[in-house]
Amino acid sequence: MGGGSEEELARALVQRHPRESYQLATKAISWIGYTKPEQAQAQFHQSLERTGAGYFDFYLMHMTGGMRTQAFDLLGMWDFVAGLKEQGLVKHIGFSHHGTAEELDAIIAAHPQVEFVQLQVNYLDWENPVNQSRACMEVAAKHGVPVVVMEPLRGGLLAEPPANVARVFAEAQPKQSPAAWALQYVASQPNIITVLSGMNSMAQMEDNIAALKGFKGLSPEQMGVIDAAMDEFATFDLIPCTGCNYCAKSCPQNVGISGAFLAMNAEIMFGRHVQEWLNGGSGKNPPSACIECGACEAMCPQNIPIIEELKRAAEVIG
């Protein structure tokens, strides 16, 4: 949590409802320049104080994968969180993973105390060689570790897909949204605890609830519709950016990286630019401002070759 969200949560939830009536999850980041264990550990105590929740139901080591994984070991975070559980301050220990299935296998094997793992799972990334949704799901199942799904709509892309993809869904079931199809796809997978979905409006929340209320799983025929949608998506060479903006936090040039990629994907799928990210006082610099320092690439959970993609974007949008 961040940006005032913890204080707002305290007012909206903690101060108004019995603690046992809801569940809270938050996470620890250890790869953003911390050099001492107490710096990383302070995140937990700060979150607990701001929310006033008393304890967290789910606590995650956030964004393992690549060089980020070792930071949690070097700072002793696994032992720290195990101690929190012994004190009753954390109910369940887990981690969110943005790496390969092989890395996931090694992390779970090294930390048998893990009770859940949060994975990026959606139909577009199911066989993606970078995100490896299917392979990671299989590793979790092998270890008997249940999965919390993140990015089921791939940063919103699957909620508003290009026309050829949307047509596939509309022809199969006119009254169901593309977002509902995407949510039902991941909810049909085994070994799932819950599916997380970002929402920006009450209408989106209502659509998400309707999509999974009483849901029993997609039929083989409906899975065929998903396959057809995947085939249509395969005609596009998209940048797999989810808009997390970890890259932007490390950019010394203040380049609007995710905005540039949004514009590029819009150009690819819809034949038009989306340049609002450069307007309205956003304060972000264009792709051409990139100095190729590489700081952004080390932070990217999608392992995007950001420098090369920014070069491509600079040719199109400046």
Side-chain angles (χ1 to χ4, degrees):
M1 301 179 187
S5 61
E6 292 172 323
E7 292 85 354
E8 291 298 325
L9 183 142
R11 286 189 285 269
L13 188 64
V14 177
Q15 296 170 14
R16 298 173 61 192
H17 300 279
R19 182 62 183 87
E20 66 276 8
S21 66
Y22 57 86
Q23 294 182 320
L24 285 182
T26 192
K27 57 198 177 185
I29 300 175
S30 292
W31 34 263
I32 56 174
Y34 294 138
T35 58
K36 299 178 181 179
E38 53 267 28
Q39 294 174 311
Q41 294 170 11
Q43 297 173 87
F44 175 84
H45 299 297
Q46 185 179 62
S47 292
L48 199 64
E49 179 180 358
R50 286 175 174 175
T51 61
Y55 63 90
F56 291 108
D57 299 275
F58 300 90
Y59 198 65
L60 298 86
M61 305 294 103
H62 179 51
M63 208 166 90
T64 59
M67 296 182 65
R68 298 180 299 269
T69 301
Q70 65 180 357
F72 296 102
D73 292 310
L74 293 174
L75 294 171
M77 287 300 291
W78 291 103
D79 292 336
F80 170 67
V81 175
L84 294 176
K85 183 176 180 180
E86 291 180 359
Q87 299 172 57
L89 298 176
V90 167
K91 300 297 183 183
H92 303 287
I93 299 171
F95 65 102
S96 61
H97 186 63
H98 286 276
T100 66
E102 183 179 4
E103 290 175 313
L104 178 64
D105 192 25
I107 294 169
I108 297 177
H111 302 285
Q113 71 270 38
V114 166
E115 299 170 88
F116 70 99
V117 61
Q118 188 166 300
L119 298 174
Q120 178 168 320
V121 182
N122 56 70
Y123 68 78
L124 193 58
D125 289 324
W126 192 247
E127 297 293 350
N128 185 302
V130 174
N131 296 314
Q132 302 182 350
S133 287
R134 178 188 58 78
C136 286
M137 287 285 287
E138 291 175 351
V139 167
K142 181 186 74 171
H143 287 279
V145 176
V147 174
V148 172
V149 171
M150 60 180 163
E151 296 292 350
L153 303 182
R154 179 66 110 67
L157 174 62
L158 303 185
E160 297 181 351
N164 59 328
V165 178
R167 191 178 306 116
V168 171
F169 294 127
E171 291 175 352
Q173 202 164 326
K175 294 184 178 180
Q176 179 158 296
S177 70
W181 279 98
L183 293 174
Q184 289 179 351
Y185 176 80
V186 294
S188 296
Q189 306 305 321
N191 199 36
I192 296 291
I193 297 176
T194 191
V195 179
L196 306 177
S197 176
M199 293 164 279
N200 300 318
S201 68
M202 183 61 71
Q204 291 178 358
M205 179 179 291
E206 291 172 346
D207 185 49
N208 285 4
I209 292 172
L212 298 182
K213 186 176 181 180
F215 180 66
K216 302 298 183 182
L218 292 176
S219 67
E221 292 76 17
Q222 289 171 317
M223 281 295 189
V225 175
I226 295 288
D227 289 339
M230 292 170 67
D231 290 340
E232 292 296 330
F233 259 120
T235 64
F236 301 107
D237 181 20
L238 299 176
I239 303 170
C241 176
T242 64
C244 71
N245 284 320
Y246 290 126
C247 57
K249 295 176 182 178
S250 66
C251 178
Q253 296 296 101
N254 194 32
V255 173
I257 300 172
S258 65
F261 293 168
L262 171 66
M264 287 297 291
N265 282 342
E267 174 77 13
I268 293 166
M269 293 187 293
F270 306 112
R272 65 177 185 270
H273 299 334
V274 178
Q275 294 204 26
E276 289 84 355
W277 62 282
L278 282 177
N279 301 319
S282 68
K284 295 294 183 181
N285 291 318
S288 57
C290 174
I291 59 174
E292 302 183 26
C293 67
C296 55
E297 294 189 352
M299 302 293 283
C300 180
Q302 308 301 324
N303 296 312
I304 297 170
I306 294 176
I307 294 172
E308 291 304 313
E309 293 292 359
L310 285 176
K311 289 180 181 177
R312 188 159 66 108
E315 295 177 356
V316 177
I317 59 178

